[in-house]
């Protein structure tokens, strides 16, 4: 690893100022599980590394029946995976967080790092898309909020501008008639990246399914929502036929590549299969 | 490059160090402090040989900077045994043959300790899952899992 200057700002303004001052030669450090790998490989060679650890208010999970869920950007995957509220109401997110690496990695890795890194295969991306997350961003010009759908721009690219820092993720409050699931398709049981990830969320009301959201990861240049499939299901009751239509629509909306993990054809096929399974599970959980 | 003052507790000793920011916690423990029980396998977070416990949580020390360990409490393999008695997990690895070359062993034992401290009644499936971040090229894992299961029982009964 090349050497660098290390900063531990104690306010978000100070962190943002440092990022702006050293624009182009600075990197933020959260859990380090993406950044340190890149620095060792010298695919990242920052001269200034700005740790977020000492900035107050960036860690933790708060839930309120009115205002909903707030997750600080520095919250560790291991904490998300074990949190009772996340497990019960935002199940897909607990499942996504629990899929990242192994326990030792999840004790370091943060949700903010997972999303800010901009990997199309990030395991919390599809769940956050399905759970209607908003990304809270702080920068020199104050704060802004962007829906997670518009946060990703390309592989490794996000809407974050110079000096901007993700501070939190917010999701609307959820009730007992809402359910969600994330499935990660991978080769090894643990410690493997997704070759397809799908998360679905749904609300049920007397048999009718509404509020359907489907997040896809690892099957396009960015994580994305399967909006065509959502529209097919919304307002209807879930039949085998409808599930098949939704699966086909989700497959069609994906644009996977072939790589050494998996062929594009198989990925596209699996998007359909996992859309069907996660939708069914989301509805079952909403009714259960 | 400017070195940083770092004060950390490893096992029961406190160290006041001056280290380069690029030094990982693993390198800090092995090279600066001289505790070489913690091993470096992959250096990329995959193999778990470098596992240590930081403020109660098992982490891969190759994926953490030494400067990020400032003010923290670290437990390494050297901190598990008491003066004349091995930790039950260490004893169980010996009794059950949970190692061959031994290179992965400190990582497995430290990861198991952190997990069993939080989950004393863990099932075999839970233990296997929790040790998914650790790789062994020799044993085939069966003896490792047997050792951890047996240690868990000893720890529950003591
Ligand atoms: C062995 C191993 C296995 C892994 N397995 C998986 C896996 O299965 N699934 C998966 O999704 N990922 C996996 N990862 C990748 C990584 O662990 C995750 O992406 C993790 O969540 C990154 O978070 P971090 O806090 O460690 O990020 P860091 O490495 O600290 O940061 C990542 C990037 O995001 C930027 N950043 C961090 N926080 C913020 C913020 N708040 N605002 C703006 N920018 C920020 C940093 O500058 C950096 O560029 C794995 C990594 C390793 C080493
Ligand atoms: S050396 Fe750290 S995980 Fe392999
Ligand atoms: S005993 Fe040799 S690697 Fe595990």
């Amino acid at each position: 690893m090349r050497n660098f200057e290390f900063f531990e700002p104690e306010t978000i303004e100070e962190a943002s100022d440092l990022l702006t001052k050293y624009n182009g030669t600075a990197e933020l450090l959260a859990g380090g599980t993406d950044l340190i790998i890149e620095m060792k490989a010298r695919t990242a060679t920052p001269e200034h590394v700005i740790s977020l650890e000492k900035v107050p208010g960036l860690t933790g999970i708060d839930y309120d029946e009115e205002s909903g869920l707030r997750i600080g950007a520095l919250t560790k995957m291991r904490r998300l995976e074990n949190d009772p509220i996340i497990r019960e109401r935002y199940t897909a997110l607990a499942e996504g967080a629990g899929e990242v690496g192994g326990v030792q990695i999840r004790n370091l890795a943060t949700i903010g790092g997972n999303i800010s890194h901009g990997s199309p295969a990030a395991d919390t991306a599809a769940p956050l898309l399905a759970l209607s997350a908003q990304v809270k961003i702080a920068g020199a010009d104050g704060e802004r909020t962007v829906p997670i759908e518009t946060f990703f721009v390309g592989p490794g690219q996000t809407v974050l501008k110079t000096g901007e820092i993700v501070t939190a993720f917010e999701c609307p409050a959820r009730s007992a008639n809402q359910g969600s699931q994330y499935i990660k398709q991978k080769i090894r049981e643990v410690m493997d990246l997704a070759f397809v990830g799908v998360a679905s969320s749904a609300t049920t009301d007397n048999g009718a399914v509404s509020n359907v959201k489907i997040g896809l990861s690892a099957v396009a240049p960015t994580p994305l929502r399967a909006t065509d499939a959502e529209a097919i299901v919304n307002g209807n009751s879930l039949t085998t036929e409808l599930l098949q239509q939704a699966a086909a629509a989700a497959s069609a909306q994906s644009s996977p590549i072939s790589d050494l993990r998996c062929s594009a054809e198989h990925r596209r096929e699996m998007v359909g299969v996992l859309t069907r399974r996660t939708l069914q599970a989301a509805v079952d959980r909403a009714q259960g | 490059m400017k070195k940083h003052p770092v004060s950390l507790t490893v096992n029961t000793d406190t160290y006041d160090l001056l280290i380069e920011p690029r030094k990982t916690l693993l390198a800090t423990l092995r090279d600066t402090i001289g505790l070489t029980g913690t091993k470096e396998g992959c250096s990329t977070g995959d193999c778990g040989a470098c596992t240590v416990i930081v403020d109660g949580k098992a982490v891969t020390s190759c994926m953490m900077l030494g400067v990020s360990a400032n003010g923290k409490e670290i437990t390494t393999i050297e901190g598990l045994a008491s003066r004349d008695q091995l930790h039950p997990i260490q004893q169980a690895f010996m009794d059950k043959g949970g190692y061959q070359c031994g290179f992965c062993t400190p990582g497995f034992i430290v990861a198991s300790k952190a997990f069993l401290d939080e989950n004393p009644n863990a099932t075999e499936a839970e233990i296997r899952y929790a040790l998914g971040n650790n790789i062994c090229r020799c044993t085939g894992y069966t003896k490792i899992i047997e050792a951890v299961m047996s240690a868990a029982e000893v720890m529950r009964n003591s």
Side-chain angles (χ1 to χ4, degrees):
Chain A
M1 221 188 300
R2 294 249 176 88
N3 227 339
F4 52 84
E5 208 176 340
F6 184 70
F7 299 91
E8 288 184 298
E10 292 180 10
T11 63
I12 201 85
E13 293 76 20
E14 204 188 321
S16 170
D17 287 349
L18 284 165
L19 262 184
T20 310
K21 179 173 170 197
Y22 297 117
N23 183 23
T25 61
E27 285 278 358
L28 290 174
L29 175 73
T33 58
D34 277 317
L35 183 63
I36 292 175
I37 292 263
E38 291 182 354
M39 288 169 63
K40 286 185 177 183
R42 304 209 174 180
T43 50
T45 50
E47 288 164 29
H48 312 274
V49 171
I50 304 159
S51 166
L52 291 173
E53 200 177 337
K54 297 266 153 59
V55 177
L58 291 183
T59 302
I61 301 167
D62 297 294
Y63 182 75
D64 180 291
E65 295 289 352
E66 298 269 295
S67 54
L69 179 71
R70 183 187 180 280
I71 301 168
L74 244 60
T75 307
K76 305 286 186 193
M77 296 297 177
R78 188 78 179 140
R79 173 139 180 224
L80 287 170
E81 134 190 48
N82 288 327
D83 183 81
I85 269 288
I86 309 262
R87 290 171 73 99
E88 189 195 318
R89 298 276 171 98
Y90 302 86
T91 318
L93 182 58
E95 290 168 337
E99 287 284 0
V100 174
V103 171
Q104 289 97 308
I105 292 293
R106 297 202 292 280
N107 276 330
L108 291 168
T110 67
I111 185 169
N114 194 229
I115 295 301
S116 306
H117 191 238
S119 161
D123 273 312
T124 59
L128 287 175
L129 282 162
L131 296 166
S132 311
Q134 302 277 330
V135 186
K136 309 293 274 188
I137 299 169
D141 309 329
E143 293 195 12
R144 63 178 180 131
T145 303
V146 304
I148 184 94
E149 285 84 342
T150 57
F151 184 78
F152 304 105
V153 176
Q157 287 176 304
T158 68
V159 295
L160 290 178
K161 294 190 295 229
T162 304
E164 285 193 322
I165 299 165
V166 174
T167 55
F169 300 89
E170 290 182 354
C171 298
R174 285 170 73 86
S175 45
N177 67 338
Q178 295 182 288
S180 66
Q181 188 187 44
Y182 174 65
I183 300 182
K184 171 185 189 174
Q185 195 73 15
K186 65 218 160 177
I187 295 161
R188 287 188 72 215
E189 187 86 13
V190 290
M191 298 296 289
D192 203 356
L193 291 180
F195 60 81
V196 178
V198 180
S200 292
S201 167
T203 306
T204 58
D205 207 355
N206 290 324
V209 180
S210 60
N211 239 326
V212 174
K213 290 222 172 145
I214 303 166
L216 309 179
S217 59
V219 295
T222 67
L224 78 165
R225 266 175 59 201
T227 45
D228 296 344
E230 293 171 4
I232 289 170
V233 181
N234 260 326
N236 296 304
S237 53
L238 210 60
T239 60
T240 313
E241 203 189 3
L242 204 72
L243 276 173
Q244 257 150 17
Q245 284 171 22
S251 285
Q253 225 174 338
S254 69
S255 51
I257 53 163
S258 292
D259 61 14
L260 57 90
R261 317 179 82 78
C262 183
S263 72
E265 292 74 21
H266 184 63
R267 278 201 168 94
R268 187 170 289 122
E269 181 75 25
M270 286 313 297
V271 170
V273 172
L274 298 185
T275 296
R276 189 154 45 73
R277 284 191 201 153
T278 54
L279 265 176
Q280 184 68 61
V283 168
D284 290 347
R285 285 174 176 178
Q287 285 165 343
Chain B
M1 207 50 76
K2 198 174 122 225
K3 290 192 177 186
H4 278 249
V6 168
S7 169
L8 72 177
T9 306
V10 184
N11 304 323
T12 48
D13 299 325
T14 301
Y15 297 85
D16 292 307
L17 312 169
L18 209 52
I19 56 175
E20 283 190 336
R22 68 167 153 184
K23 246 190 197 304
T24 60
L25 174 58
L26 175 63
T28 306
L29 291 168
R30 288 181 56 90
D31 308 341
T32 312
I33 298 180
L35 290 172
T36 54
T38 308
K39 302 302 178 201
E40 176 164 28
C42 63
S43 198
T44 53
D46 292 286
C47 77
C50 65
T51 302
V52 301
I53 300 173
V54 178
D55 288 347
K57 308 282 180 202
V59 303
T60 42
S61 61
C62 70
M63 284 288 100
M64 186 170 163
L65 298 178
V67 285
S68 296
N70 192 15
K72 292 181 179 151
E73 268 186 42
I74 290 132
T75 304
T76 68
I77 187 69
E78 287 91 346
L80 263 56
S82 56
R83 232 183 133 68
D84 47 13
Q85 198 173 16
L86 291 177
H87 186 279
I89 306 175
Q90 292 173 306
Q91 189 62 52
F93 267 69
M94 290 191 56
D95 295 345
K96 298 285 173 185
Y99 57 90
Q100 287 177 25
C101 79
F103 195 80
C104 69
T105 315
F108 267 102
I109 290 178
V110 171
S112 301
K113 178 187 187 307
F115 185 68
L116 292 180
D117 283 350
E118 279 183 14
N119 307 276
N121 298 313
T123 62
E124 180 180 332
E126 286 163 349
I127 290 171
R128 281 184 181 274
Y129 182 69
L131 295 178
N133 214 149
N134 293 75
I135 290 176
C136 174
R137 293 284 83 155
C138 303
T139 64
Y141 301 99
T142 306
K143 297 287 174 191
I144 291 177
I145 302 299
E146 273 177 29
V148 179
M149 295 283 291
S150 131
E153 195 179 332
V154 171
M155 287 162 74
R156 279 196 297 272
N157 295 336
S158 67

